[in-house]
C-alpha cells in the first residue's frame, strides 16, 4: 500500500520527463516505463486505495478489482507495444501525448469516484488530440478540431449528468448506476458517445485515419475501451445496450466494404468489434460480461496489430488508399504475415484470439433466446471477416500489383507486430490464462467440435463468396471518394449557416429596408416636418434592423474566406449544442 | 523505395501454378468442411443451427447480401467527390 503508486501517476509524470532524455537512453526509458508501472500494478492488492478527501467528498484513485485490473493489464501491455512500435519517432510531442493518454486511460479505469473519473475522462480527449494534430496536415487539423468538438460536447453531457446524479444521491462513488431518471441518461449518453454508438460514431472514423501512424495504435486501444469499461461498471444488464450493440456490429460493415482508405476500413471494423462488447454488457449475464471483457482484451491486441501493419505500409510507401496499394507481399512478407494473423484473429478463426471471446457473447445471446440479436451478430461475424479479414490483406498485399517494391518495415515495428501476433495466437490456442483473469468464474469451453466446424464453415464460405464476387466483377472496386456519414450534420453546419445568412437573413434585411424607406417617404409627403422625422426613423430602423443581418453576413463571410468553414462549423455546432443541453437540463429537472 | 526495377525477379504468386495450387487447396477444404459436418454431433441452441450446412449457407448468403447492398444501395446514396467537404 505504501510502496505502490497509482499507475496513472507513473505514466503522466513519466511522460513529462521524456523530453529530458536523448538517444538510446530515451528509447530504454520509454520501454521501461510501462514495465515498471506493470510491476507496480501487480503488487497492488484488491480494494480501494489512495483515498483523498476533497471538499467533503472522498476521491478514490485506486478502485482495484478484477474488472479494473484486467483493463489495467491490457492497457499496460498495449502501451508497451505501441511505444515499441513508435520508437523510431523523433517527435517528443507524440511520445508525451501517447504516455499521458495511456495514463489517463488507466486513471479512468481505476477511478473509484465520479470526479476523478471525469477529470481523467477529459484528459483522454485532450491528450489524444495531439496524436491527431502531430500529423501536421490540413486534414488532420480539421479532423482534430471536429474530434475536440464532439468530445467536448460529450464531456459537457457527462458533467451535467454527474452534477445531477451527485445532487440526487449525495454520493460521488462510481459504481453501478443503471438507467433511471435524467441524470443517468446524461451519463449513459456521454459513455455512448465515447463508445462510438451509431450516429454518434463518426468522430472515430473521421479522426483515427487522420492521426499519425503510431498515434493510431494508441487511439485504437484507449478511448472506446475506456467507454466499454465505464458501461460495464455502471450499466451492466441495461437492455437498450443489447440493441445498440447489435446495430453497432451491423451497420459499419456496409461502410467498410465501400471505403477506400484502409485505415478507415479498420476504424469501421473497430466500431463493429466494440458492438460485440456493448451487446455483451447489455445482456449482462456472467458469461456475457466475461465475453465482453475478454473481447476487449483480444480486440485491443488484434486491432492494434492490424493498424500497425497498415501503419508500416504507410510508413514505407506513404500511401494508404486501396486504389494505390497492392502486391506488397513481395517485399514486405513479414508485415503481410502479421497482418494476416491480425485478420484471422479479428475474424475469429479457431486457434486465433477472436474465436475464444466473440463466441462467448454469441453464446450468451443464444442462451438468452435472443433470436434476432443472434442473427445480427452472426451476420456481423461473417461480415467482419469479409472486410477486415480478407479485404485489408488482399487489397494491401495481394490484388493488383501496384508496382511498388518498398523495404520491409523497420525492426522496432516488426518486433512490436511480432509480439502482438504471438499473443493473438497464444490466447487463441490457450485461452486458459485469459479466462482466469476475467471478472467472473469461467465455465465455458470454446473448442467444441460443432462450434469449430460451424465457425470454420461460416468463414470459409464467406471467403468463397468474396472470391466468386471478385472473379465475376461484382465486387465493388475501390474508388477515390468520400462516403457520407452522420458527421455530415456537423461538417456541413457552417455551410448551412452561411446559406441562412446569405439567403433568408439578407432577404429579410432587404424587405425591411424597402418598407421602411417607403413608409418614410409616405410620411414625408403628407407631413410638413417629416424630413427631421425621416432622418431619425431611418437611422434607427435602417441601421438597427437592416444592417444587423448584413453585418453578420459580412462578418461570417470574411471569417470563411480567411480561415475556411471549419471554425464556423465548430462555433455554430457548439453553441447549438450548449443551448440544447440547457433546454434538456431544464426539461429534465 | 525501388520502382519495379527488379521485374525479372519472380515472386510466390507471380507463377500461375502457385495460384492454382492455392485455389485448389481452398476449394478442397470447402468440400472437406461440408463432409465433416456429417460426423459432428450437434447440440444446437436454436433449431436452425441443427439444419444441414446452416453455417456454410448463411456465411455465403450473408456475404453476397452484404456486398450487393453496399454496392447497389449504400454507395449510390453516400458517395461524393473526394473534395466534397473542402
Amino acid at each position: 500500500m505504501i510502496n505502490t503508486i497509482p499507475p496513472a501517476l507513473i505514466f503522466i509524470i513519466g511522460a513529462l520527463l521524456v523530453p529530458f532524455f536523448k538517444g538510446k537512453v530515451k528509447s530504454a526509458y520509454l520501454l521501461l516505463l510501462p514495465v515498471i508501472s506493470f510491476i507496480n500494478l501487480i503488487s497492488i492488492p484488491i480494494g480501494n486505495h489512495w483515498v483523498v478527501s476533497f471538499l467533503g467528498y472522498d476521491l478514490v484513485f485506486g478502485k482495484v478489482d478484477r474488472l479494473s485490473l484486467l483493463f489495467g493489464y491490457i492497457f499496460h501491455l498495449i502501451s508497451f507495444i505501441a511505444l515499441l512500435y513508435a520508437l523510431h519517432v523523433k517527435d517528443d510531442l507524440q511520445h508525451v501525448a501517447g504516455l499521458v493518454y495511456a495514463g489517463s486511460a488507466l486513471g479512468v479505469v481505476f477511478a473509484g469516484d465520479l470526479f476523478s473519473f471525469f477529470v481523467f475522462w477529459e484528459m483522454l480527449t485532450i491528450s489524444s488530440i495531439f496524436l491527431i494534430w502531430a500529423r501536421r496536415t490540413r486534414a488532420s487539423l480539421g479532423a482534430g478540431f471536429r474530434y475536440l468538438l464532439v468530445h467536448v460536447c460529450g464531456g459537457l453531457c457527462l458533467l451535467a449528468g454527474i452534477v445531477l446524479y451527485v445532487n440526487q444521491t449525495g454520493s460521488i462513488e462510481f459504481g453501478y448506476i443503471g438507467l433511471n431518471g435524467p441524470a443517468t441518461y446524461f451519463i449513459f449518453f456521454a459513455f455512448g458517445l465515447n463508445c462510438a454508438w451509431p450516429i454518434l460514431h463518426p468522430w472515430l472514423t473521421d479522426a483515427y485515419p487522420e492521426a499519425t501512424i503510431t498515434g493510431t495504435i494508441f487511439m485504437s486501444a484507449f478511448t472506446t475501451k475506456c467507454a466499454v469499461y465505464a458501461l460495464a461498471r455502471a450499466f451492466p444488464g441495461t437492455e437498450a445496450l443489447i440493441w445498440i450493440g447489435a446495430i453497432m456490429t451491423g451497420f459499419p460493415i456496409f461502410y467498410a466494404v465501400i471505403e477506400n482508405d484502409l485505415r478507415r476500413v479498420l476504424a469501421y471494423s473497430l466500431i463493429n468489434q466494440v458492438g460485440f462488447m456493448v451487446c455483451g454488457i447489455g445482456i449482462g449475464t456472467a458469461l456475457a460480461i466475461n465475453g465482453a471483457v475478454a473481447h476487449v482484451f483480444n480486440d485491443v491486441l488484434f486491432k492494434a496489430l492490424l493498424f500497425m501493419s497498415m501503419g508500416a505500409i504507410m510508413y514505407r510507401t506513404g500511401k494508404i488508399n486501396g486504389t494505390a496499394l497492392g502486391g506488397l507481399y513481395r517485399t514486405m512478407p513479414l508485415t503481410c504475415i502479421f497482418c494476416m494473423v491480425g485478420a484471422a484473429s479479428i475474424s475469429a478463426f479457431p486457434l486465433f484470439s477472436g474465436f475464444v471471446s466473440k463466441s462467448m457473447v454469441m453464446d450468451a445471446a443464444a442462451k438468452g433466446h435472443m433470436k434476432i440479436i443472434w442473427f445480427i451478430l452472426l451476420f456481423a461475424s461473417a461480415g467482419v471477416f469479409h472486410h477486415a479479414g480478407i479485404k485489408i490483406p488482399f487489397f494491401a498485399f495481394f490484388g493488383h500489383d501496384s508496382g511498388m517494391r518498398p523495404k520491409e518495415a523497420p525492426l522496432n515495428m516488426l518486433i512490436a507486430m511480432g509480439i502482438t501476433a504471438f499473443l493473438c495466437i497464444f490466447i487463441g490456442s490457450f485461452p486458459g490464462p485469459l479466462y482466469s483473469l476475467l471478472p467472473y468464474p469461467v465455465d465455458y469451453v470454446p473448442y467444441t467440435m460443432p462450434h469449430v466446424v460451424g465457425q470454420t464453415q461460416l468463414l470459409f464460405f464467406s471467403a468463397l463468396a468474396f472470391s466468386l464476387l471478385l472473379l465475376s466483377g461484382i465486387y465493388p472496386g475501390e474508388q477515390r471518394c468520400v462516403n457520407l456519414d452522420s458527421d455530415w450534420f456537423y461538417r456541413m453546419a457552417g455551410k448551412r449557416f452561411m446559406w441562412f445568412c446569405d439567403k433568408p437573413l439578407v432577404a429579410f434585411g432587404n424587405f425591411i429596408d424597402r418598407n421602411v424607406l417607403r413608409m418614410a417617404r409616405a410620411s414625408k409627403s403628407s407631413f410638413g416636418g417629416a424630413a427631421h422625422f425621416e432622418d431619425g426613423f431611418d437611422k434607427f430602423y435602417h441601421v438597427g434592423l437592416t444592417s444587423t443581418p448584413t453585418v453578420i453576413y459580412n462578418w461570417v463571410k470574411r471569417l470563411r474566406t480567411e480561415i475556411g468553414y471549419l471554425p464556423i462549423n465548430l462555433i455554430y455546432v457548439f453553441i447549438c449544442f450548449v443551448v440544447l443541453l440547457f433546454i434538456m437540463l431544464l426539461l429534465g429537472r | 523505395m525501388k520502382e519495379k526495377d527488379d521485374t525479372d525477379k519472380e515472386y510466390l504468386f507471380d507463377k500461375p501454378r502457385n495460384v492454382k495450387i492455392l485455389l485448389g487447396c481452398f476449394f478442397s477444404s470447402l468440400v472437406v468442411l461440408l463432409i465433416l459436418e456429417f460426423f459432428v454431433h450437434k447440440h444446437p441452441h436454436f433449431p436452425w443451427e441443427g439444419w444441414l450446412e446452416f453455417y456454410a449457407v448463411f456465411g455465403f448468403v450473408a456475404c453476397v447480401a452484404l456486398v450487393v447492398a453496399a454496392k447497389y444501395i449504400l454507395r449510390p446514396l453516400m458517395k461524393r467527390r473526394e473534395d466534397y467537404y473542402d
Side-chain angles (χ1 to χ4, degrees), chain A residues 253 256 265-266 269 272-273 302-303 306 310 336 338-349 358 380-398 459 462-463 466 475:
Chain A
I253 55 181
V265 174
L266 287 179
S269 83
N272 155 287
Q273 294 300 307
F302 57 62
K303 189 50 59 64
L306 286 167
M310 289 303 112
C336 174
F338 294 142
C339 179
M340 293 209 298
V341 171
S345 303
I346 197 173
S347 331
F349 260 100
K358 193 192 278 176
S381 304
V384 71
F385 176 54
H386 197 94
H387 70 257
I390 311 181
K391 176 175 170 166
I392 291 279
F394 185 79
F395 281 101
F397 294 104
F398 304 98
L459 296 179
S462 303
F466 179 86
Y475 195 83

Side-chain angles (χ1 to χ4, degrees), chain B residues 17-86:
Chain B
R17 197 172 142 262
N18 288 348
V19 178
K20 258 187 198 150
I21 292 174
L22 184 76
L23 284 177
C25 289
F26 176 60
F27 287 121
S28 45
S29 56
L30 291 179
V31 176
V32 170
L33 276 170
L34 288 181
I35 297 169
L36 209 61
E37 179 157 336
F38 293 104
F39 302 100
V40 174
H41 177 73
K42 295 185 208 169
H43 33 87
H45 292 293
F46 297 115
W48 52 79
E49 275 189 280
W51 296 349
L52 200 59
E53 319 292 8
F54 166 76
Y55 281 100
V57 174
F58 186 89
F60 188 83
V61 172
C63 275
V64 172
L66 168 67
V67 169
V68 167
K71 185 180 179 185
Y72 296 107
I73 300 173
L74 192 66
R75 182 170 259 180
L77 278 178
M78 296 301 184
K79 196 176 114 173
R80 295 291 182 277
R81 281 195 338 271
E82 218 173 1
D83 56 354
Y84 178 72
Y85 284 121
D86 296 336

Side-chain angles (χ1 to χ4, degrees), chain A residues 258 329-330 374-375 386 405 454 457 460-462 474 476-477 479-484 488 491, chain B residues 2 4 11 13-14 27 29 33 37 46 48 53 55-56 63 67 71 75 78-80 82 84-85:
Chain A
I258 56 172
Y329 79 93
R330 294 175 175 84
W374 187 85
F375 261 111
H386 197 94
R405 298 284 182 268
Q457 277 186 346
F460 268 71
F461 280 84
S462 303
I474 296 176
Q479 293 180 0
R480 299 173 61 92
C481 64
V482 165
N483 293 313
L484 297 189
W488 181 85
R491 293 179 79 161
Chain B
K2 287 177 282 181
K4 224 175 182 177
Y11 294 96
F13 296 116
D14 289 343
F27 287 121
S29 56
L33 276 170
E37 179 157 336
F46 297 115
W48 52 79
E53 319 292 8
Y55 281 100
C63 275
V67 169
K71 185 180 179 185
R75 182 170 259 180
M78 296 301 184
K79 196 176 114 173
R80 295 291 182 277
E82 218 173 1
Y84 178 72
Y85 284 121

